[in-house]
Amino acid sequence: MCRVVDLRQAVLAKNDVAAHALRAELTERGTAVVNLLSSPGSGKTALLERELLLAREREVTVAALTADLATENDAVRLARSGVPVKQVLTDGLCHLEASMLGRHLDGWLPVDTRLLFVENVGNLVCPASYDLGESLRVVLASVTEGEDKPLKYPTAFGLAQLVVVTKTDIADAVDFDEAGFRANVQRVNPGVEVLLTSARTGEGVGLLLERALSVGTGTGAAAHVPVMAAEAARADGHAQDGHAHDGHTHSHSHSHDHDHDHDTSCSPLPVAQTR
């Protein structure tokens, strides 16, 4: 008798175990993880750089890990803030996983770190399915991406504990419909908070840091473990996370104990140093 095994479900289940363990470990040492998800070009690196600078000014012990398919550009930018930064190059993998994150934190993350910001790979599909052991999951979308973005990516926005709109300084120029965007967010994630920000003008800068700190101390409304994305994807009835084409679903059922991903640590100076 043949037994059908759902590889995607098995991969996610393994990730969930690793995420649970990593969350427990980091919580015990007093570190809250903020998982940042967005499409490429949303402006999350620019906003994160401002938040890191503010954290340093307020003497909050913070670090950042940024993942990308290639280049160390984001880490070099973030290192200008003067906080510990590490770049993880995924060599084509479209998301981070809990075991990967734990491996890259081992021996690098300062023991007194209060907040760790993780800038996930620019992608609203694959990263949404993987719990990283975070304390706060944030989805960012720029005003240029359209008001229907939450409806197109219901799993990413549906699992968000905070939604951040970026580049509001050009909202009028692109005819951004704020009310329409908020309504669509509420359709997929009723009650979730939406913040408006602009890294250029400073609007809303510091709000992400405040929300992250409140979660880290256990006082924030978003301080809960994210719903497992595999279950959420089935519940919302959308096949987009499995890339449905012509009625067929093609899921990412990779076996992801990757040894080929590697990291680059940046010193507090804007100079990348390969480990």
Side-chain angles (χ1 to χ4, degrees):
M1 175 181 289
C2 295
R3 181 183 179 188
V4 178
V5 178
D6 186 338
L7 293 180
R8 177 178 172 82
Q9 184 176 1
V11 169
L12 290 173
K14 181 178 180 181
N15 181 82
D16 292 344
V17 172
H20 179 77
L22 183 58
R23 182 181 292 108
E25 176 187 341
L26 292 174
T27 298
E28 184 175 354
R29 61 188 279 183
T31 301
V33 177
V34 182
N35 185 9
L36 304 176
L37 293 80
S38 78
S39 300
S42 68
K44 66 179 178 294
T45 304
L47 179 62
L48 180 55
E49 186 176 0
R50 294 288 301 267
E51 298 288 341
L52 294 178
L53 283 167
L54 186 60
R56 189 183 181 198
E57 291 174 7
R58 296 181 179 178
E59 299 183 340
V60 177
T61 49
V62 64
L65 180 145
T66 180
D68 223 330
L69 304 182
T71 83
E72 302 164 4
N73 296 348
D74 289 349
V76 171
R77 288 176 59 186
L78 295 178
R80 294 186 301 209
S81 66
V83 309
V85 173
K86 173 178 279 194
Q87 176 82 58
V88 174
L89 302 180
T90 65
D91 289 341
L93 185 64
C94 61
H95 62 275
L96 285 174
E97 297 176 11
S99 61
M100 294 167 58
L101 178 61
R103 185 166 66 250
H104 287 293
L105 296 183
D106 188 28
W108 168 74
L109 187 67
V111 294
D112 62 343
T113 302
R114 185 174 177 186
L115 289 177
L116 170 65
F117 286 94
V118 177
E119 186 179 13
N120 219 315
V121 180
N123 181 350
L124 280 178
V125 180
C126 303
S129 295
Y130 289 85
D131 181 3
L132 298 184
E134 65 260 31
S135 304
L136 178 65
R137 176 174 291 206
V138 183
V139 172
L140 302 91
S142 72
V143 297
T144 62
E145 295 177 61
E147 295 77 26
D148 61 347
K149 198 79 172 185
L151 304 182
K152 290 183 175 180
Y153 299 92
T155 300
F157 282 88
L159 291 176
Q161 295 158 293
L162 181 67
V163 174
V164 175
V165 178
T166 61
K167 304 184 183 181
T168 56
D169 54 292
I170 59 171
D172 291 340
V174 298
D175 293 326
F176 177 64
D177 181 0
E178 180 186 338
F181 179 85
R182 288 180 178 274
N184 289 334
V185 169
Q186 295 305 312
R187 282 182 62 183
V188 299
N189 194 344
V192 71
E193 184 180 13
V194 177
L195 301 179
L196 302 180
T197 67
S198 169
R200 178 175 293 178
T201 66
E203 178 187 4
V205 171
L207 293 178
L208 176 57
L209 178 62
E210 291 176 7
R211 300 303 185 273
L213 287 172
S214 69
V215 170
T217 57
T219 60
H224 63 274
V225 177
V227 178
M228 293 303 98
E231 297 177 0
R234 289 192 292 271
D236 67 26
H238 294 274
Q240 58 91 23
D241 277 355
H243 303 313
H245 303 290
D246 300 325
H248 300 285
T249 300
H250 307 283
S251 65
H252 287 288
S253 56
H254 316 292
S255 177
H256 287 150
D257 282 331
H258 293 282
D259 293 323
H260 64 274
D261 62 286
H262 57 283
D263 65 77
T264 301
S265 294
C266 288
S267 67
L269 298 176
V271 178
Q273 297 178 341
T274 303
R275 290 186 62 196

